Amino acid sequence: MSQSEEKFEYVSSATLPTRWGQFRIHGFVETDTDQEHVALSYGNWEEGEVVPIRIHSECLTGDALFSTRCDCGFQLEKALQNIVEHGKGILLYLRQEGRGIGLLNKIRAYNLQDNGLDTVEANEHLGFDADLRDYGICKIMLAELGVKRVNLMTNNPKKRAALESLGVEVVNRTPIDHGITDDNRHYLRTKTEKLGHEFDPHLLK
């Protein structure tokens, strides 16, 4: 195990019934920061099998407070639904609010967006990079769950590149073009144009 991998530690697992089905929830911690992350797993798989996964960064406003100014909550629900329909899969839920800037700074960024900046400009105006997320823990989480080959549900090619750099084989990338509304259409266009996300362009008109 590399020095960077040693800062991540598996904690415990339990059953987690949801509206879509009964998952297992697995807790992990970054030992140097005490930051906590979870994985939800559903079904069983053989060694070497390609498993559908979603890497989802925490979004309190979208995931829990039903905001429509982003597509996060919509994608979270769609990913869980897809996993259950497939009969197996994993959702890695990373505590990286606001692409890594934290909840209160995200609210500050929202205020700047209310006054004309886009999501990238707002983060940069606050002194942050456009995206500060670190996907290093994903390798430990997947290894704990016995997965080395994945079908990655995402519109963000950088997530694929991050997993591949960690030695995880991404056999396929499946887009989630879901939850596009009048409230978040400009936000999603910005993610496409400035952050490299891939959406069906007809859906963003």
Side-chain angles (χ1 to χ4, degrees):
M1 182 178 292
S2 70
Q3 185 174 3
S4 62
E5 291 173 7
E6 290 176 355
K7 69 178 184 177
F8 303 121
E9 184 178 294
Y10 164 72
V11 178
S12 188
S13 300
T15 58
L16 187 74
T18 75
R19 286 179 289 166
W20 299 274
Q22 183 160 290
F23 286 77
R24 294 279 295 172
I25 185 167
H26 314 270
F28 298 81
V29 64
E30 295 186 43
T31 55
D32 58 344
T33 64
D34 291 328
Q35 182 67 279
E36 299 166 340
H37 309 274
V38 298
L40 300 184
S41 65
Y42 184 87
N44 301 294
W45 41 84
E46 302 294 332
E47 183 177 355
E49 185 176 351
V50 178
V51 178
I53 75 163
R54 162 81 179 161
I55 302 172
H56 190 90
S57 296
E58 177 183 41
C59 176
L60 178 71
T61 49
D63 298 343
L65 301 179
F66 315 109
S67 169
T68 57
R69 69 185 295 162
C70 67
D71 60 336
C72 302
F74 298 107
Q75 290 200 352
L76 174 62
E77 293 194 7
K78 184 62 174 176
L80 293 174
Q81 178 183 333
N82 288 349
I83 286 169
V84 171
E85 289 178 352
H86 188 81
K88 64 189 66 176
I90 297 170
L91 184 132
L92 305 180
Y93 195 89
L94 308 184
R95 307 293 299 281
Q96 301 188 129
E97 182 77 49
R99 298 198 301 275
I101 68 174
L103 177 60
L104 298 186
N105 280 322
K106 185 173 81 169
I107 295 172
R108 293 186 178 99
Y110 277 174
N111 176 263
L112 293 170
Q113 291 170 48
D114 289 342
N115 287 282
L117 299 188
D118 65 35
T119 181
V120 170
E121 293 166 344
N123 277 26
E124 292 175 342
H125 183 85
L126 292 171
F128 301 106
D129 290 339
D131 194 338
L132 293 172
R133 289 175 292 183
D134 179 358
Y135 299 107
I137 194 173
C138 295
K139 180 178 181 179
I140 302 300
M141 299 170 96
L142 291 172
E144 181 66 32
L145 298 173
V147 172
K148 296 181 180 178
R149 306 174 71 229
V150 304
N151 174 6
L152 180 62
M153 292 182 280
T154 187
N155 299 324
N156 185 356
K158 291 181 180 178
K159 289 182 180 179
R160 178 173 193 157
L163 285 185
E164 291 176 336
S165 73
L166 293 168
V168 177
E169 183 181 353
V170 181
V171 177
N172 190 39
R173 182 185 71 84
T174 301
I176 304 184
D177 292 327
H178 189 71
I180 299 173
T181 71
D182 290 341
D183 294 320
N184 64 32
R185 204 175 303 274
H186 175 68
Y187 163 80
L188 297 179
R189 287 196 197 104
T190 300
K191 290 210 299 184
T192 300
E193 295 166 2
K194 295 189 175 183
L195 297 175
H197 291 222
E198 297 179 357
F199 293 89
D200 182 340
H202 298 290
L203 298 176
L204 298 182
K205 289 182 179 179

